[in-house]
């Protein structure tokens, strides 16, 4: 089989790239390790930057997003009983949209099916070859049958645990990582959100986040120990701990209920440089990971897609290779700013097991300054709504 762009990974990055390339008449094939049902069963991100919405509009996929997405013009941040509202729209003139990654992925798969775009599911033993030449190819198996996909370029959109990044030789690849000494225990429940907007809370007991997917579906998180297992937390224990971490003005409004999904996610900051090697381009979690505190994981996958889509269009439509040559430099310039913001917000809003009393005072002083300084709030808002592409 032959195509122009082989896309390894059928998550949001790979799917969005494939639809945008199709819009420009550029062929691609998506190779996905799991079944479609498995991919659609993942509960992950919940907040979209305007840049992401713009890409979905460019792909012609934003109708349901505009119908069902919740426009959020602000959010709350609390430290113990101290709380302030960050007026995103008032500070930087833009909101964010609350619309689950699951729905984004559903819209992307529906669009690809409607366009008749090729996806190979349950692929095994994917390997990349010829990346340093002008005729790369991908080998893989489906039901034990060996297959080969010849292409011009490979987009490695296969996430943190994928194989694409490993095809950049160790002597070429530089990896930067910080693993955080805690995880997030997340619960999805068919209960109304505690407030109209998101609440990020820090307390001496640790971080909590009150988010949502709709006015009837809530998504809550609490910081937990890395040694915790989901089965260690009953629903009641989760709700009681969440109440201890959010301001008392919210606890009375919190509607609890049975979890319909419960999972623990580890937190890490990670970047791989470069994001290109010959005809291979890394995109999304395959190249970088952020702690979800700043709601940037899915959104930084989108900015990579923007740069790669633009680079490949210049190559195929204008015969111009500059976008391809500059992809890694351009993508990384934004990735590192997003990494910094996500690290900063995680450092501010979590209780670190080894933190000293002085560290706690530093967190409290930074939080107090944020509450008083419009300039500090504007900087936070600029990052949260999304830095320019
Ligand atoms: P993905 O990991 O979504 O997709 C990669 C795809 O490649 C997967 O479908 C995988 O099955 C496939 N794949 C892997 N290896 C392969 C191979 N060898 N061959 C073929 N296919 C292969 N971000 C936020 O902004 N907010 C959040 O709250 C949030 N919560 C998260 C919770 C968890 C548990 C995780 C893991 C991530 C979370 N993220 C969150 C980040 C997440 O949303 C990612 O940023 C987003 O999924 C990135 O999309 P992709 O780059 O497409 O990677
Ligand atoms: C979510 O709704 O899952 C969510 C929202 C904001 C974050 C992280 C997760 O920062």
């Amino acid at each position: 089989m032959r195509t122009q762009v082989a896309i390894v990974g059928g998550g949001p990055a790979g799917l969005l790239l494939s639809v945008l390339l199709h819009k420009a008449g550029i062929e691609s094939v998506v190779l996905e390790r799991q079944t479609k049902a498995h991919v659609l069963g993942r509960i992950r991100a919940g907040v979209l930057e305007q840049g992401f919405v713009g890409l979905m509009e460019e792909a012609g996929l934003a109708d349901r997003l505009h119908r069902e997405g919740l426009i959020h013009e602000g959010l709350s941040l609390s430290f113990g009983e101290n709380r302030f509202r960050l007026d995103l729209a008032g500070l930087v003139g833009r909101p964010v949209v609350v619309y689950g990654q699951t729905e984004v992925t559903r819209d992307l798969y529906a669009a690809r099916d409607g366009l008749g775009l090729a996806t190979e599911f349950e692929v095994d033993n994917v390997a990349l070859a010829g990346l340093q030449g002008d005729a790369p190819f991908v080998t893989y198996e489906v039901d034990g049958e060996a297959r080969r996909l010849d292409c011009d370029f490979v987009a490695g959109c296969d996430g943190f645990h994928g194989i694409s990044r490993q095809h950049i030789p160790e002597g070429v690849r530089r990896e930067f990582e910080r693993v955080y000494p805690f995880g997030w225990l997340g619960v999805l429940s068919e209960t109304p959100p505690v407030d109209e907007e998101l609440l990020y809370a820090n307390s001496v007991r640790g971080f909590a986040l009150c988010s949502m997917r709709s006015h009837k579906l809530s998504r809550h998180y609490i910081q937990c120990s890395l040694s915790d297992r989901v089965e260690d937390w009953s629903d009641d224990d989760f709700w009681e701990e969440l109440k201890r971490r959010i301001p008392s003005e919210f606890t009375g409004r919190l509607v609890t209920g049975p979890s319909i999904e419960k999972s623990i996610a580890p937190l890490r900051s990670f970047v791989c440089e470069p994001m290109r090697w010959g005809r291979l381009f890394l995109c999304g979690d395959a190249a970088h990971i952020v702690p979800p505190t700043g709601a940037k994981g899915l959104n930084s996958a989108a900015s990579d897609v923007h740069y790669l889509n633009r680079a490949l269009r210049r190559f195929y439509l204008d015969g111009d290779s500059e976008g391809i040559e500059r992809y890694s430099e351009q993508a990384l310039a934004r990735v590192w700013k997003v990494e910094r913001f996500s690290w900063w917000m995680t450092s501010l809003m979590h209780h670190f097991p080894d933190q000293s009393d002085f560290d706690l005072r530093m967190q409290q002083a930074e939080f107090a300054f944020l509450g008083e300084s419009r300039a500090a709030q504007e900087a936070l808002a600029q990052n949260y709504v999304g830095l320019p592409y």
Side-chain angles (χ1 to χ4, degrees):
M1 186 163 51
R2 179 169 197 2
T3 190
Q4 289 173 299
V5 182
I7 298 176
V8 183
L15 298 171
L16 182 55
L17 178 64
S18 71
V19 176
L20 289 169
L21 291 176
H22 173 77
K23 288 280 179 185
I26 301 167
E27 289 174 5
S28 64
V29 172
V30 169
L31 304 176
E32 167 53 51
R33 181 170 62 180
Q34 305 289 354
T35 63
K36 187 194 292 188
H38 182 99
V39 178
L40 289 173
R42 292 178 183 138
I43 307 289
R44 288 197 178 161
V47 172
L48 305 184
E49 297 173 354
Q50 285 302 321
F52 196 114
V53 174
L55 285 176
M56 292 289 278
E57 289 168 343
E58 186 182 336
L61 302 179
D63 291 349
R64 187 162 78 103
L65 166 54
H66 285 313
R67 277 200 316 276
E68 299 177 16
L70 304 176
I71 304 288
H72 279 210
E73 297 196 339
L75 58 92
S76 282
L77 292 146
S78 70
F79 207 121
E81 286 298 311
N82 300 322
R83 174 184 75 99
F84 70 89
R85 180 177 182 268
L86 190 73
D87 178 9
L88 300 171
L91 286 160
V92 295
R94 284 177 293 153
V96 292
V97 178
V98 171
Y99 188 72
Q101 176 174 323
T102 309
E103 304 318 312
V104 168
T105 311
R106 196 182 310 281
D107 294 340
L108 286 163
Y109 269 117
R112 300 188 80 258
D113 293 347
L115 293 166
L117 300 184
T119 310
E120 296 248 56
F121 289 104
E122 298 183 272
V123 300
D124 274 329
N125 300 322
V126 174
L128 314 180
L131 296 173
Q132 289 298 81
D134 58 6
F137 60 93
V138 183
T139 57
Y140 59 100
E141 291 168 13
V142 176
D143 297 333
E145 178 200 336
R147 295 188 183 174
R148 170 171 165 152
L149 178 62
D150 289 278
C151 54
D152 299 329
F153 300 101
V154 181
C157 303
D158 48 350
F160 183 68
H161 300 291
I163 52 92
S164 296
R165 185 172 67 247
Q166 313 308 327
H167 282 76
I168 300 179
E170 284 190 8
V172 173
R173 196 168 81 219
R174 282 195 69 188
E175 296 186 350
F176 305 80
E177 184 170 50
R178 168 163 296 190
V179 177
Y180 296 90
F182 39 75
W184 277 19
L185 168 62
V187 162
L188 191 67
S189 57
E190 288 172 338
T191 54
V194 74
D195 192 32
E196 285 294 311
E197 299 174 334
L198 270 60
L199 167 66
Y200 289 82
N202 191 357
S203 74
V204 291
R205 298 179 68 91
F207 171 81
L209 170 59
C210 299
S211 182
M212 63 195 80
R213 293 291 178 269
S214 71
H215 295 307
K216 296 177 181 170
L217 194 60
S218 294
R219 180 72 171 163
H220 293 91
Y221 298 91
I222 59 171
Q223 170 186 344
C224 66
S225 162
L226 284 176
S227 57
D228 280 3
R229 296 165 305 156
V230 172
E231 53 269 27
D232 296 338
W233 286 87
S234 69
D235 287 358
D236 288 346
D237 290 345
F238 175 85
W239 293 119
E240 285 314 304
E241 186 58 35
L242 179 70
K243 286 177 185 172
R244 294 187 192 105
R245 299 187 185 187
I246 62 179
S248 52
E249 63 178 297
F250 289 94
T251 45
R253 303 203 303 248
L254 181 67
V255 177
T256 64
S259 59
I260 55 177
E261 191 272 350
K262 191 188 292 183
S263 53
I264 292 179
L267 271 64
R268 78 175 74 238
S269 298
F270 173 87
V271 178
C272 168
E273 290 184 356
M275 288 177 54
R276 177 210 174 192
W277 194 63
R279 292 292 176 116
L280 169 64
F281 299 91
L282 300 183
C283 204
D285 277 17
H288 44 76
I289 295 285
V290 285
T293 324
K296 293 297 160 216
L298 178 59
N299 290 300
S300 49
S303 55
D304 295 347
V305 167
H306 165 79
Y307 295 124
L308 187 52
N309 170 52
R310 194 171 64 178
L312 291 169
R313 285 177 180 222
R314 284 181 68 173
F315 175 83
Y316 282 110
L317 307 183
D318 307 333
D320 171 353
S321 295
E322 189 192 353
I324 283 172
E325 299 303 328
R326 293 195 58 218
Y327 168 74
S328 182
E329 168 205 346
Q330 276 190 321
L332 282 168
R334 189 178 188 277
V335 161
W336 277 114
K337 293 173 197 163
V338 168
E339 290 285 339
R340 181 212 65 82
F341 171 68
S342 303
W343 159 81
W344 172 80
M345 201 157 161
T346 301
S347 305
L348 175 66
M349 297 303 291
H350 287 75
H351 181 83
F352 286 68
D354 61 350
Q355 81 180 49
S356 65
D357 290 345
F358 176 82
D359 296 332
L360 177 59
R361 288 289 181 271
M362 287 298 99
Q363 280 186 329
Q364 290 169 332
E366 174 138 28
F367 189 85
F369 175 68
L370 259 178
E372 298 154 5
S373 164
R374 179 182 173 84
Q377 289 182 25
E378 195 169 320
L380 198 173
Q382 270 186 343
N383 281 279
Y384 194 85
V385 301
L387 298 175
Y389 287 172

